[in-house]
Amino acid sequence: MNKDISEYMIEAIKLSINNVVEGKGGPFGAVVVKDGIIIARGVNRVTATNDPTAHAEVIAIREACTILNTFQLSGCEIYTSCEPCPMCLGAIYWARPDKLFYANSKQDAASINFDDQFIYDEIGKPLNQRKLFTQQILREEALIAFTKWKESSNKIEY
């Protein structure tokens, strides 16, 4: 294994361990690397911030995008101490890094009660079979924004 790769992962793992030891949140850490340099770090801050989206990967992505002044992380790599949950995986795909590396598996996470399998299962179900009541309303009113976006010459596509 490339020594640099393992060094970046070791940093993500250290962040996850320290987060637990310091009592700041769940056992998850992530780093974003660009041109061989760690430019952003994140740890799970869900309980510390009362923000269910404050996962390590999301925090690291937000920090990296701020530092790079961009909404995409092309040319970057993400190292995370655990296989990303569905939300984080979606955020990673939207951020468009070149590579993703992880240490613990989603099965490892499930073994300590961080089990996201129900989300994977729910996503594949028709809306009327999901546990979360979901109903589409006011589509025609909402389509106005989409029409304006489509017609706008003042937009940055992504």
Side-chain angles (χ1 to χ4, degrees):
M1 180 184 303
N2 182 322
K3 185 177 179 188
D4 290 334
I5 289 174
S6 62
E7 287 178 7
Y8 304 137
M9 185 59 75
I10 287 169
E11 178 64 17
I13 292 168
K14 282 181 184 177
L15 289 168
S16 70
I17 293 168
N18 289 341
N19 206 44
V20 173
V21 170
E22 295 170 6
K24 294 183 177 178
F28 306 99
V31 299
V32 177
V33 175
K34 181 159 179 82
D35 299 327
I37 299 168
I38 295 175
I39 60 164
R41 291 171 171 79
V43 294
N44 180 283
R45 306 286 293 146
V46 170
T47 57
T49 61
N50 293 320
D51 179 355
T53 69
H55 289 201
E57 298 91 335
V58 172
I59 289 174
I61 288 168
R62 289 173 181 165
E63 182 178 318
C65 287
T66 298
I67 289 168
L68 296 174
N69 194 32
T70 184
F71 55 86
Q72 293 184 343
L73 297 177
S74 56
C76 294
E77 301 170 351
I78 296 180
Y79 295 80
T80 181
S81 65
C82 187
E83 186 174 355
C85 73
M87 176 186 69
C88 291
L89 188 58
I92 290 166
Y93 270 97
W94 278 112
R96 294 184 174 92
D98 292 355
K99 296 178 182 177
L100 166 66
F101 299 92
Y102 68 90
N104 290 319
S105 70
K106 63 183 180 181
Q107 293 81 7
D108 296 328
S111 74
I112 60 164
N113 296 319
F114 286 95
D115 189 357
D116 299 318
Q117 188 58 47
F118 77 97
I119 297 172
Y120 289 108
D121 295 342
E122 285 286 297
I123 290 170
K125 292 180 181 178
L127 295 179
N128 64 351
Q129 293 178 14
R130 293 183 183 172
K131 291 180 182 173
L132 176 64
F133 175 83
T134 304
Q135 180 182 355
Q136 184 179 25
I137 61 172
L138 301 178
R139 178 176 179 261
E140 293 301 318
E141 292 81 352
L143 281 173
I144 295 168
F146 283 13
T147 301
K148 289 187 179 298
W149 172 262
K150 184 177 178 182
E151 296 169 352
S152 176
S153 60
N154 185 25
K155 64 184 173 190
I156 299 172
E157 297 203 28
Y158 54 98

